[in-house]
């Protein structure tokens, strides 16, 4: 969503009028792997973000959350030992 709003992405043929987020809090986030969306991660995102993830998360591997965090130029991380 941050990438879509930062780039005023025209999804479904309609231009997005919503302004970019002031900040984002992302829990167990990951990048979309479908080629339709991978272009969203080609340049750093400027939305300040907090990325939270569990080291032992059994659904979203910690490496996927860390990879997403690296796309943001103003990011902070908070990890827990659990999932």
């Amino acid at each position: 969503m941050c990438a879509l709003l930062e780039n005023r992405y025209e999804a479904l043929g309609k231009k997005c009028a919503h302004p970019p987020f002031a900040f984002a809090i992302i829990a167990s986030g990951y990048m979309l792997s479908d080629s339709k969306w991978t272009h969203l991660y080609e340049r750093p995102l400027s939305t300040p973000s907090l990325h939270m993830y569990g080291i032992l998360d059994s659904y979203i591997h910690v490496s996927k959350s860390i990879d997403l965090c690296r796309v943001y130029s103003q990011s902070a991380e908070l990890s827990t030992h659990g999932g």
Side-chain angles (χ1 to χ4, degrees), residues 7-9 11 14 16-17 22 29 38 42 44-47 55 61 64 66-69 73 75 78 82:
N7 296 310
R8 297 284 195 253
Y9 191 77
K14 296 181 180 180
C16 178
T38 54
E42 291 175 352
L45 299 176
S46 61
T47 303
I55 301 297
H61 193 272
K64 290 185 175 188
I66 292 171
D67 288 345
L68 176 63
C69 184
S73 61
S75 63
L78 176 64

Side-chain angles (χ1 to χ4, degrees), residues 1-76:
M1 287 301 302
C2 292
L4 293 173
L5 292 176
E6 283 187 28
N7 296 310
R8 297 284 195 253
Y9 191 77
E10 295 186 20
L12 304 174
K14 296 181 180 180
K15 186 164 177 99
C16 178
H18 194 287
F21 292 132
F23 63 91
I25 299 174
I26 302 167
S28 295
Y30 58 94
M31 292 188 281
L32 300 172
S33 58
D34 187 309
S35 62
K36 180 178 178 181
W37 303 109
T38 54
H39 69 278
L40 295 174
Y41 312 112
E42 291 175 352
R43 63 182 193 178
L45 299 176
S46 61
T47 303
S49 59
L50 171 63
H51 299 259
M52 302 178 297
Y53 52 86
I55 301 297
L56 300 176
D57 191 324
S58 60
Y59 292 106
I60 307 299
H61 193 272
V62 64
S63 65
K64 290 185 175 188
S65 292
I66 292 171
D67 288 345
L68 176 63
C69 184
R70 300 294 178 256
V71 175
Y72 288 78
S73 61
Q74 301 179 67
S75 63

